Amino acid sequence: MQLPSLLIVIMMLLLQGCSIEPWVMPYERARLADPIMLMDPNPVSSSYLNHVYQARESARGAESGQGGGCGCN
Amino acid sequence: MRRIKTLLTILVLLSTLLFNHAFASASKLEGAAPDFTLDSSSGENIRLSDHLGEVVMINFWASWCGPCRQEMPLLEDLYKKYQMMGFTLLGINVDEERENAESLLEQIPVSFPILFDPDSELSRLYKVKAMPTTILVDRDGQLRVLHKGYQPGFEDQYEADIKALIRE
Amino acid sequence: MVMGLLRQALGVKRHFALIALLLACLPLTAAILPEDRFDALYHYYSGGGVDISGPSLLFRKQVADPVSMSTHYYVDTISSASIDVVTQASPYNEERTEYGLNVDYLNGKSLLSMGYTTSSENDYVANTVNIGISQDFFGDLTNISLGFARGSDTVTRSTDNVFEEQVERRNYRLGLSQILSKNMTVALAFDLTSDEGFLNNPYRRYRYSTVVNGALTEDWNYEVYPGTRTSTALGMRGLYYLPYRAAIGLEVRQFSDTWGVNAQNWQVFYRHPTDTGWLFEVRYRQYSQNQASFYADLFNAPNAQNYMARDKELSTYSSQTFGVTASYGFNTGALSWIERGSVNLSWDYMQFDYANFRDASVDQNEYSVGNEPFYGFSAHIIQLYLSVWY
């Protein structure tokens, strides 16, 4: 999926924003609130693992745990 | 080229901030409060219309909702303070599993009635749009005020609403 | 290709402004600041002749009604006899220290973040500034975030006092997080990074074959890299809540850059909590990339091309990682200023297999130049950490 298509998807979501109703009601969010459903429950650990990968791989960016990279050798 | 990019980035951030209006903490409601009967923690069924003549605060909460947990002790204080003046508080729990609610109530015990809405029927009837949701119903059974969510400081607004409705 | 990516980058900037204007008409719901927490982690890496260990600390506290601040401290104590070190230099010990400070400001449903990070070791100093904005809408079902980071590094060489170069880095990030159903969430991230300056390791050399006294042998010269590098990465992560209390996740990422590297990786993980407070996670990750256009394990002459690299990170290779984490969560009664905490131990096992990077450390009598076996290594990664929320 290229960047232009991603942006089109985002903009289409936004254009409907003024009238759209949420399809998951706030009282139905029990499972989503469970800690096992967090995208990044341990930020210190995930940023360390991302650093381990980034130091040994060419690829960088778009990792699940955010935070600045260190730009090391 | 680089300067344009930096300027655009700053413009984006500023415009997003400027377009953020202050978060509305309360809104007025109209109409009669829909009647309901639900099972409660005391074992009996509790009915809204039994409380006509009292100011009723209906609070929708769940065990997994952080702001709800923050709010509970403050609601308990309000209940104890105004109970004798014709005020009652109904805590509507929306957990699918009742035991999750009961284990939270062991940690944060309250004396106001807790009703169980595990199938979310009442939440849909009252068009709950946030967790927690607090609704005030006056002595005539009319819907008056809606508070969506909870942030520290809301309890002062709750108290002001309760006092105003008691005096009517 | 560079012009195409630059045009893409400018397009991204235009769209950012448009997105901000459209955000004006969305219904309002409250977002929240990140929770107060303290994390203390001990990390240990061992593999490929390299041992790295050290602490990683994070401290976050809400300091005012709409403001949360966090600070982090990280150390890598490195003892390296890696394949490059063994073939081109001698084993060394080094320490890298990193500090960072971050401020988060909540305004309605926008979360504005600003941060500064500095990292230093005896031959590399990196400073990064980042800003970001995160916006919730659609009844908190959707979150869009934008981020920008700018870095400025100084590269030196411990073997001489004269060498000093700079690197300028820019990073743009766009994120979208979406709740799809009661049981499923998905997040997309797009990253554009652009580096300019001295982009290679000042110690590393490429090797070329040469004939000395009629015998084929090898010699080494310092690498020459392009002065710019622009890369894009697109990643997606999804989480699904199973019919019983557990979750599975999938993550995929596609990467490409102006050096000709194309990489993809995917990861699956499974999280299993128990009623007694334990949480287990199992994960498997696979990564593969193809080489940079100017990479070769063995060039046929010195200065064979304008740019020459022999960094195994730029070769064609694949890697797999298998990991498990065991966590125990506790609620504290006695220590009333702590709300809850967890103790965690994780182990990851990585394996790298290079398709066109050879092990030049082998006996030259046994293997002729350019016919050495391909290199591969495996590594163990251990993390032990404590997290408390207060």
Side-chain angles (χ1 to χ4, degrees):
Chain A
M1 196 198 215
Q2 290 303 310
L3 169 66
S5 350
L6 172 65
L7 284 167
I8 287 168
V9 165
I10 293 173
M11 296 229 287
M12 277 172 58
L13 280 171
L14 289 161
L15 285 166
Q16 297 173 56
C18 295
S19 57
I20 205 166
E21 283 297 311
W23 55 91
V24 176
M25 302 310 286
Y27 43 85
E28 293 176 323
R29 295 176 59 159
R31 293 180 181 174
L32 302 167
D34 193 321
I36 65 171
M37 284 294 282
L38 282 169
M39 280 287 171
D40 190 18
N42 298 302
V44 175
S45 171
S46 60
S47 80
Y48 168 67
L49 271 179
N50 283 334
H51 164 66
V52 169
Y53 292 130
Q54 218 184 75
R56 291 162 184 82
E57 297 170 347
S58 270
R60 61 222 175 136
E63 296 113 348
S64 54
Q66 281 164 343
C70 93
C72 320
N73 278 346
Chain B
M1 183 73 68
R2 209 174 285 173
R3 234 180 296 155
I4 294 171
K5 279 191 201 175
T6 326
L7 279 171
L8 274 172
T9 321
I10 295 169
L11 171 72
V12 160
L13 295 171
L14 277 177
S15 55
T16 322
L17 282 174
L18 287 169
F19 282 131
N20 249 313
H21 315 291
F23 176 69
S25 64
S27 49
K28 296 226 176 319
L29 294 172
E30 282 176 354
D35 195 14
F36 57 86
T37 310
L38 284 176
D39 193 16
S40 82
S41 52
S42 61
E44 312 168 337
N45 283 358
I46 292 185
R47 199 169 175 175
L48 177 66
S49 48
D50 289 342
H51 292 278
L52 264 177
E54 286 180 298
V55 174
V56 183
M57 175 178 270
I58 305 172
N59 173 260
F60 289 84
W61 66 278
S63 64
W64 45 262
C65 155
C68 305
R69 288 198 298 269
Q70 263 185 307
E71 194 184 41
M72 290 286 256
L74 304 162
L75 293 177
E76 171 70 359
D77 292 339
L78 285 172
Y79 180 66
K80 289 207 283 233
K81 192 169 174 182
Y82 294 101
Q83 191 190 9
M84 293 298 135
M85 299 181 217
F87 167 74
T88 192
L89 217 165
L90 300 176
I92 316 287
N93 173 261
V94 302
D95 277 90
E96 277 178 29
E97 305 280 330
R98 193 182 286 205
E99 50 194 48
N100 294 335
E102 280 166 355
S103 72
L104 183 73
L105 290 168
E106 273 167 43
Q107 286 174 34
I108 312 175
V110 294
S111 51
F112 55 84
I114 299 291
L115 285 67
F116 299 103
D117 181 32
D119 303 321
S120 306
E121 279 178 23
L122 189 64
S123 309
R124 270 190 288 272
L125 182 64
Y126 272 75
K127 302 194 180 63
V128 169
K129 289 266 168 40
M131 288 299 292
T133 286
T134 307
I135 294 169
L136 278 151
V137 179
D138 65 19
R139 295 181 190 275
D140 301 321
Q142 299 291 312
L143 295 165
R144 295 299 292 270
V145 187
L146 165 71
H147 291 271
K148 286 202 274 201
Y150 172 75
Q151 281 173 19
F154 276 27
E155 64 272 18
D156 300 326
Q157 189 60 44
Y158 296 168
E159 193 162 6
D161 292 337
I162 294 167
K163 285 205 281 206
L165 289 175
I166 285 175
R167 277 192 219 111
E168 273 181 5
Chain C
M1 196 197 290
V2 178
M3 285 315 294
L5 274 163
L6 282 176
R7 238 178 276 125
Q8 248 190 6
L10 186 59
V12 161
K13 289 276 119 263
R14 268 207 304 273
H15 291 309
F16 279 5
L18 192 57
I19 287 169
L21 291 168
L22 287 169
L23 289 170
C25 68
L26 297 165
L28 298 169
T29 50
I32 52 170
L33 286 168
E35 291 183 293
D36 287 349
R37 62 186 297 162
F38 172 69
D39 298 87
L41 178 144
Y42 170 76
H43 59 87
Y44 174 75
Y45 170 97
S46 178
V50 178
D51 283 307
I52 307 174
S53 64
S56 179
L57 306 173
L58 171 79
F59 176 69
R60 173 179 283 284
K61 179 97 183 72
Q62 182 168 351
V63 297
D65 201 346
V67 181
S68 168
M69 284 182 66
S70 75
T71 178
H72 77 263
Y73 170 75
Y74 177 94
V75 179
D76 271 333
T77 303
I78 304 157
S79 121
S80 178
S82 70
I83 182 69
D84 283 338
V85 165
V86 159
T87 55
Q88 299 175 40
S90 51
Y92 66 90
N93 290 330
E94 190 181 59
E95 194 171 279
R96 178 177 85 86
T97 308
E98 183 180 303
Y99 301 92
L101 184 70
N102 229 283
V103 180
D104 289 287
Y105 172 71
L106 183 67
N107 176 21
K109 55 189 183 82
S110 294
L111 188 67
L112 176 65
S113 305
M114 286 175 291
Y116 172 73
T117 306
T118 180
S119 158
S120 69
E121 52 203 291
N122 67 349
D123 55 10
Y124 202 100
V125 175
N127 296 300
T128 315
V129 174
N130 64 276
I131 50 174
I133 189 152
S134 160
Q135 189 92 4
D136 282 333
F137 44 96
F138 294 153
D140 283 353
L141 294 190
T142 309
N143 176 285
I144 287 188
S145 60
L146 307 174
F148 173 67
R150 197 173 181 308
S152 187
D153 305 349
T154 306
V155 189
T156 52
R157 199 154 47 193
S158 60
T159 49
D160 71 73
N161 291 324
V162 177
F163 180 85
E164 186 177 303
E165 293 286 347
Q166 305 294 322
V167 181
E168 298 293 314
R169 296 175 286 116
R170 266 183 183 74
N171 168 265
Y172 302 91
R173 175 179 258 247
L174 174 67
L176 168 71
S177 173
Q178 178 69 48
I179 290 175
L180 295 177
S181 75
K182 289 196 296 186
N183 304 316
M184 192 153 67
T185 57
V186 75
L188 291 165
F190 176 77
D191 248 294
L192 174 81
T193 307
S194 194
D195 303 331
E196 195 179 312
F198 189 84
L199 303 179
N200 51 302
N201 181 316
Y203 306 94
R204 190 176 293 114
R205 288 173 240 236
Y206 66 87
R207 68 172 182 163
Y208 59 95
S209 57
T210 183
V211 176
V212 171
N213 298 333
L216 184 67
T217 183
E218 65 188 25
D219 206 347
W220 305 77
N221 272 355
Y222 280 123
E223 292 180 316
V224 183
Y225 273 36
T228 61
R229 179 190 190 194
T230 302
S231 67
T232 57
L234 183 64
M236 190 205 79
R237 172 175 262 225
L239 272 164
Y240 180 72
Y241 198 104
L242 293 167
Y244 58 98
R245 193 177 170 224
I248 50 168
L250 169 71
E251 186 179 333
V252 293
R253 175 185 58 180
Q254 173 70 40
F255 170 90
S256 74
D257 70 7
T258 50
W259 287 358
V261 177
N262 289 301
Q264 43 282 325
N265 62 282
W266 59 267
Q267 177 175 248
V268 289
F269 58 90
Y270 172 72
R271 292 178 188 161
H272 187 100
T274 68
D275 288 336
T276 51
W278 285 91
L279 172 65
F280 300 99
E281 181 179 296
V282 187
R283 51 188 172 268
Y284 176 73
R285 178 184 190 270
Q286 222 183 59
Y287 175 93
S288 67
Q289 69 170 56
N290 71 321
Q291 66 167 83
S293 58
F294 54 92
Y295 166 87
D297 174 70
L298 180 70
F299 290 92
N300 55 20
N303 306 313
Q305 310 170 180
N306 282 336
Y307 303 118
M308 289 162 293
R310 196 181 173 264
D311 185 354
K312 61 188 193 294
E313 238 176 84
L314 297 180
S315 67
T316 300
Y317 69 89
S318 66
S319 81
Q320 315 181 67
T321 310
F322 171 74
V324 294
T325 303
S327 308
Y328 182 69
F330 52 90
N331 292 311
T332 53
L335 296 159
S336 55
W337 50 275
I338 294 178
E339 204 180 278
R340 66 183 200 280
S342 69
V343 185
N344 314 263
L345 178 65
S346 84
W347 169 68
D348 287 83
Y349 178 70
M350 288 199 321
Q351 201 172 314
F352 276 72
D353 287 296
Y354 296 90
N356 59 5
F357 176 81
R358 293 180 187 271
D359 185 350
S361 70
V362 296
D363 188 352
Q364 291 212 334
N365 294 323
E366 213 182 318
Y367 296 97
S368 60
V369 171
N371 288 314
E372 304 93 346
F374 292 117
Y375 183 63
F377 75 93
S378 61
H380 292 272
I381 307 165
I382 313 256
Q383 299 173 67
L384 176 64
Y385 56 103
L386 168 76
S387 302
V388 295
W389 288 263
Y390 48 85

